[in-house]
């Protein structure tokens, strides 16, 4: 026993001295792949590495470049084999390294971009990474934003659609390898098409392609676009294959109180949140009280609205899928933290359930899901259109008709020159049946 112990100590000392005196035994890192994710405002470059990177970096101008030195890294990586999409990055190449045991990588840029660099530990399906966000000095032109605060009549109802995850964040991964980020983007695009085909409604996509946006940034984008509603689309996952079905999430009351508190502390945000109201508040002493009251009111409105929309969505979703939870669920999720915009998160199903993963990979099924979301949202806004919208003025002008003997829905639709579906929608009807004496709302379109 003594002998064995001594042997261990000797080996330990020997190994220690070798590691200290011969850097050749230090762990050698390796770049396994390179991914580039362009977005309208920034481009993310991700180096997939065999181990945690040791790195330094510096920018160069004329022409614009970013230089990254990876220490203790194998030289055998050919950057020309990787796809460099987008128009911000011109080329990624090797240069003479600072030390013999490392590599120097040069990212050549077409224009100025501010780098934000950080290492990420392994998370499914990736290993160690070095992430570089290049904030574009000339971002793509934003979608046209109409100012809700200006005196516009008959504006569109704006629905912000947030496709969950994106870029190197795949979200949950199904048993056959389906990425949640692709499912959420596909459903979101289908919903966008339906909304944009509806007069008086307009969709704004928070994420337009395969790139990452921080969860805190998503409600900010919805606010910048003056959204009346934010719908975040996700697919659930569990560590066992059994759970299935859809659920809808709203901001939890407890989180809401904390969020309101947090927003209150961030005084710079007040004017943005309050719109015109902030300018009226000049007295510093009363500012906090007033702000709290106004914000509290808009939060009450947005939370009540979120809950109502959620119920409407659950009613529609259950026609196409099983429900995991029959009532709206309360959660503390970053994407739901807008105090002023009704926000909901829809989990369309469990990607971890093999059957639901199969369904979600079927375009027709995704279309059905998008249609049920659209029907729910349009029903909700037909009943309670936001002030100043086309739908609000249409509602104010609506006519009524008392059904007489021999009249059918199609006859009335013809007489008033509207679609049967519009009459059904305005009256929340599920069948074409009408009864004598029934008073119907006749919409203008
Ligand atoms: Zn998700």
């Amino acid at each position: 026993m003594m002998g064995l112990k001594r042997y261990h100590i000797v080996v330990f000392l020997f190994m220690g001295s070798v590691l200290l005196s011969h850097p050749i035994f230090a762990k050698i890192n390796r770049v396994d792949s390179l991914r580039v994710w362009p977005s309208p405002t920034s481009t993310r470059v991700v180096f997939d590495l065999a181990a945690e990177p040791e790195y330094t970096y510096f920018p160069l101008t004329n022409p614009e470049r970013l230089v990254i030195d990876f220490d203790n890294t194998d030289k055998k990586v050919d950057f020309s084999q990787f796809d460099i999409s987008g128009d911000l990055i011109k080329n990624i190449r090797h240069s003479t390294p600072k030390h013999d045991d490392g590599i120097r990588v040069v990212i050549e840029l077409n224009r100025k971009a501010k780098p934000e660099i950080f290492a990420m530990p392994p998370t499914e399906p990736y290993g160690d990474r070095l992430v570089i966000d290049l904030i574009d000095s000339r971002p793509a032109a934003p979608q046209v934003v109409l100012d809700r605060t200006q005196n516009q009549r008959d504006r569109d109802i704006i629905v912000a659609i947030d496709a969950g995850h994106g870029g190197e964040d795949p979200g949950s991964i199904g048993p056959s390898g389906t990425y949640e980020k692709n499912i959420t983007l596909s459903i979101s695009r289908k919903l966008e098409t339906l909304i944009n085909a509806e007069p008086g409604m307009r969709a704004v996509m928070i994420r337009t392609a395969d790139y990452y946006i921080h969860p805190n940034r998503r409600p900010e984008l919805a606010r910048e676009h003056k959204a009346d509603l934010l719908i975040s689309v996700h697919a659930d996952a569990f560590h066992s294959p059994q759970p299935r079905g859809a659920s809808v999430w709203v901001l939890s009351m407890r989180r809401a109180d904390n969020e309101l508190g947090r927003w209150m502390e961030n005084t710079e945000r007040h004017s943005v949140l309050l719109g015109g109201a902030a300018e009226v508040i000049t007295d510093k002493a009363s500012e906090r009280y007033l702000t709290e009251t106004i914000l509290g009111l808009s939060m009450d409105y947005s939370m009540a609205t979120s809950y109502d929309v959620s119920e409407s969505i659950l009613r529609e979703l259950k026609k196409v899928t099983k429900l995991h939870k029959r009532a709206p669920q309360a959660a503390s999720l970053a994407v739901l933290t807008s105090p002023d915009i009704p926000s909901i998160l829809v989990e369309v199903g469990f990607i971890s359930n093999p059957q639901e993963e199969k369904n979600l990979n079927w375009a027709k099924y995704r279309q059905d899901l998008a249609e049920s979301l659209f029907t729910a949202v349009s029903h909700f806004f037909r009943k309670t259109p936001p002030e100043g919208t086309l739908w609000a003025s249409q509602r104010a002008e609506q006519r009524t008709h008392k059904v007489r003997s021999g009249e059918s829905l199609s006859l009335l639709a013809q007489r008033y020159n509207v679609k049967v579906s519009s009459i059904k929608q305005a009256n929340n009807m599920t069948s074409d049946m009408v009864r004598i004496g029934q008073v119907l709302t006749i919409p203008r379109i």
Side-chain angles (χ1 to χ4, degrees):
M1 288 294 277
M2 275 302 283
L4 193 62
K5 252 185 197 162
R6 200 173 303 131
Y7 170 77
H8 275 173
I9 290 164
V10 169
V11 169
F12 180 74
L13 287 174
F14 171 74
M15 291 282 289
S17 65
V18 165
L19 284 174
L20 285 173
S21 57
H22 298 272
I24 198 161
F25 283 127
K27 196 171 183 185
I28 291 283
N29 209 339
R30 192 181 63 240
V31 177
D32 288 328
S33 93
L34 170 76
R35 287 171 287 125
V36 176
W37 308 101
S39 89
T41 52
S42 65
T43 294
R44 175 168 280 198
V45 180
V46 185
F47 291 91
D48 289 302
L49 299 148
E52 196 182 328
E54 296 164 46
Y55 67 97
T56 52
Y57 69 94
F58 58 93
L60 287 173
T61 48
N62 289 325
E64 299 290 336
R65 281 154 294 164
L66 179 69
V67 179
I68 307 129
D69 287 309
F70 289 93
D71 295 337
N72 295 320
T73 301
D74 194 294
K75 292 179 180 31
K76 293 191 294 284
V77 53
D78 173 14
F79 291 117
S80 67
Q81 65 176 305
F82 303 115
D83 172 34
I84 299 168
S85 37
D87 69 340
L88 181 64
I89 297 173
K90 194 198 268 173
N91 190 22
I92 298 182
R93 59 170 169 86
H94 284 278
S95 179
T96 316
K98 186 171 66 166
H99 304 300
D100 271 358
D101 58 357
I103 56 169
R104 170 165 284 187
V105 181
V106 179
I107 302 179
E108 295 177 8
L109 302 167
N110 282 320
R111 54 185 174 274
K112 207 174 177 58
K114 189 171 142 278
E116 282 174 9
I117 304 193
F118 53 96
M120 275 178 97
T123 45
E124 266 296 311
Y126 301 112
D128 273 294
R129 281 154 291 166
L130 185 72
V131 177
I132 303 166
D133 281 332
L134 296 158
I135 316 301
D136 205 327
S137 57
R138 239 188 296 144
Q143 297 174 49
V144 179
V145 178
L146 299 174
D147 191 350
R148 205 161 72 183
T149 57
Q150 279 171 3
N151 275 343
Q152 280 178 49
R153 293 215 36 195
D154 300 350
R155 68 170 180 86
D156 287 338
I157 293 170
I158 298 165
V159 181
I161 309 170
D162 170 44
H165 311 279
E168 83 283 0
D169 169 17
S172 304
I173 302 171
S176 340
T178 308
Y179 283 5
E180 181 189 348
K181 65 170 183 179
N182 298 332
I183 300 295
T184 62
L185 186 60
S186 167
I187 294 170
S188 299
R189 282 203 180 119
K190 291 177 190 302
L191 179 58
E192 179 195 21
T193 305
L194 291 165
I195 287 175
N196 285 339
E198 184 73 22
M201 264 187 148
R202 189 157 56 83
V204 164
M205 294 287 276
I206 297 296
R207 167 164 87 83
T208 53
D210 191 11
Y211 53 85
Y212 181 74
I213 303 175
H214 194 279
N216 291 336
R217 178 75 187 127
R218 296 174 190 242
E220 284 176 13
L221 283 166
R223 178 170 304 108
E224 283 167 25
H225 286 285
K226 320 263 183 208
D228 294 290
L229 175 70
L230 169 64
I231 304 182
S232 190
V233 181
H234 283 256
D236 239 328
F238 200 64
H239 50 75
S240 71
Q242 289 83 18
R244 60 179 299 174
S247 53
V248 182
W249 298 77
V250 293
L251 181 64
S252 84
M253 235 11 220
R254 201 149 92 232
R255 169 77 184 243
D257 288 342
N258 294 343
E259 282 304 317
L260 193 56
R262 200 166 61 79
W263 279 88
M264 298 308 311
E265 279 151 30
N266 192 350
T267 43
E268 282 164 47
R269 280 247 157 89
H270 288 172
S271 55
V272 181
L273 271 174
L274 294 168
E279 283 140 44
V280 184
I281 306 166
T282 46
D283 179 4
K284 283 272 174 226
S286 62
E287 182 182 8
R288 192 184 158 88
Y289 168 74
L290 274 172
T291 314
E292 222 163 290
T293 309
I294 296 166
L295 262 185
L297 285 175
S298 80
M299 188 147 213
D300 284 349
Y301 163 78
S302 66
M303 289 189 63
T305 304
S306 306
Y307 199 87
D308 289 351
V309 177
S310 300
E311 285 195 311
S312 175
I313 286 181
L314 286 167
R315 265 196 303 275
E316 291 302 321
L317 274 177
K318 74 175 175 210
K319 296 175 188 167
V320 276
T321 181
K322 276 195 182 334
L323 295 182
H324 183 59
K325 303 275 183 193
R326 322 209 121 259
Q329 304 296 296
S332 300
L333 299 162
V335 76
L336 300 178
T337 55
S338 270
D340 54 341
I341 302 173
S343 309
I344 57 162
L345 187 145
V346 182
E347 298 274 10
V348 293
F350 278 81
I351 205 166
S352 50
N353 176 294
Q355 184 56 50
E356 291 205 336
E357 182 191 26
K358 218 164 150 185
N359 291 348
L360 291 168
N361 271 313
W362 186 30
K364 164 80 170 72
Y365 184 74
R366 294 196 301 274
Q367 183 67 31
D368 288 349
L369 288 170
E371 277 171 21
S372 62
L373 295 178
F374 170 73
T375 306
V377 170
S378 58
H379 273 176
F380 174 79
F381 281 126
R382 279 286 175 210
K383 265 191 293 165
T384 50
E387 230 175 277
T389 59
L390 177 69
W391 286 20
S393 51
Q394 281 172 350
R395 196 174 166 81
E397 291 167 8
Q398 264 166 1
R399 305 154 286 188
T400 55
H401 177 93
K402 197 171 179 178
V403 179
R404 281 182 290 255
S405 170
E407 286 176 343
S408 67
L409 259 194
S410 55
L411 185 93
L412 292 174
Q414 219 171 12
R415 187 183 304 160
Y416 288 101
N417 194 24
V418 289
K419 286 189 285 188
V420 169
S421 58
S422 306
I423 301 179
K424 285 173 74 178
Q425 197 180 55
N427 295 280
N428 273 332
M429 294 166 69
T430 48
S431 82
D432 284 358
M433 296 281 288
V434 286
R435 53 188 163 70
I436 297 165
Q438 187 176 359
V439 178
L440 292 172
T441 297
I442 308 293
R444 295 276 166 190
I445 54 161

